Amino acid sequence: MHNSATPLRPLSSPLVGGYKRGETRGARLPFRDATFATTLISLALHHYVEPEAVLDEAVRVTRSQLTILESAYRNRWERFGLERLDDWLNRHRHNGAMHGPLAFKGPQEWQQSFDMRHLRPVERRWLGSWWERAGSGRQRRR
């Protein structure tokens, strides 16, 4: 078995996988179906106009395992905090040039998107906020 990785542009680039952040509406990636054994989407879906279309493409090019790390909120205060933190971090990382949609969702909304694509979770973790982790001394699982 031959394992290989196809490098895409790093997250600090204005392009991710050849597409401008937040502008793809389900554009087809230049790979055949089931090209990759494993695909990772890390803190990116909320930056797209149509995150479900990006998810569909990830499902199409993935043969075995799709790993998704994404921000989620449980209430309006957490959403407010995510939006402010994301805005601050990305302006800092991209010299104020990163603008775009913030399609944050709650855990149930993300799960609906996964269910519609017949994705079966192997493991799901709620990493929680800094103070939740500090107070419990361990990560909470949900």
Side-chain angles (χ1 to χ4, degrees), residues 22-90:
E23 293 184 4
T24 185
R25 284 179 162 73
R28 192 168 176 87
L29 292 170
F31 305 107
R32 293 181 313 232
D33 293 0
T35 296
F36 304 103
T38 302
T39 302
L40 169 66
I41 300 176
S42 180
L43 300 172
L45 287 174
H46 66 270
H47 283 287
Y48 287 94
V49 173
E50 295 178 17
E52 287 78 10
V54 176
L55 185 56
D56 288 339
E57 267 305 279
V59 168
R60 183 186 69 77
V61 300
T62 304
R63 186 170 52 252
S64 303
Q65 182 173 332
L66 174 58
T67 301
I68 300 168
L69 173 63
E70 186 55 69
S71 297
Y73 62 88
R74 295 171 290 192
N75 56 55
R76 66 183 177 153
W77 297 110
E78 286 183 353
R79 181 179 180 139
F80 177 81
L82 278 174
E83 289 172 350
R84 297 308 162 273
L85 181 63
D86 191 271
D87 180 59
W88 180 81
L89 286 172
N90 285 307

Side-chain angles (χ1 to χ4, degrees), residues 60-129:
R60 183 186 69 77
V61 300
T62 304
R63 186 170 52 252
S64 303
Q65 182 173 332
L66 174 58
T67 301
I68 300 168
L69 173 63
E70 186 55 69
S71 297
Y73 62 88
R74 295 171 290 192
N75 56 55
R76 66 183 177 153
W77 297 110
E78 286 183 353
R79 181 179 180 139
F80 177 81
L82 278 174
E83 289 172 350
R84 297 308 162 273
L85 181 63
D86 191 271
D87 180 59
W88 180 81
L89 286 172
N90 285 307
R91 276 190 293 118
H92 176 72
R93 288 180 59 209
H94 303 284
N95 298 318
M98 186 168 181
H99 302 285
L102 291 176
F104 288 117
K105 296 181 179 194
Q108 297 81 8
E109 292 173 285
W110 284 121
Q111 190 60 53
Q112 287 176 336
S113 292
F114 304 149
D115 290 346
M116 289 174 55
R117 287 151 186 86
H118 307 288
L119 297 174
R120 181 181 55 84
V122 174
E123 181 177 3
R124 187 171 89 169
R125 288 188 190 183
W126 181 265
L127 299 179
S129 63

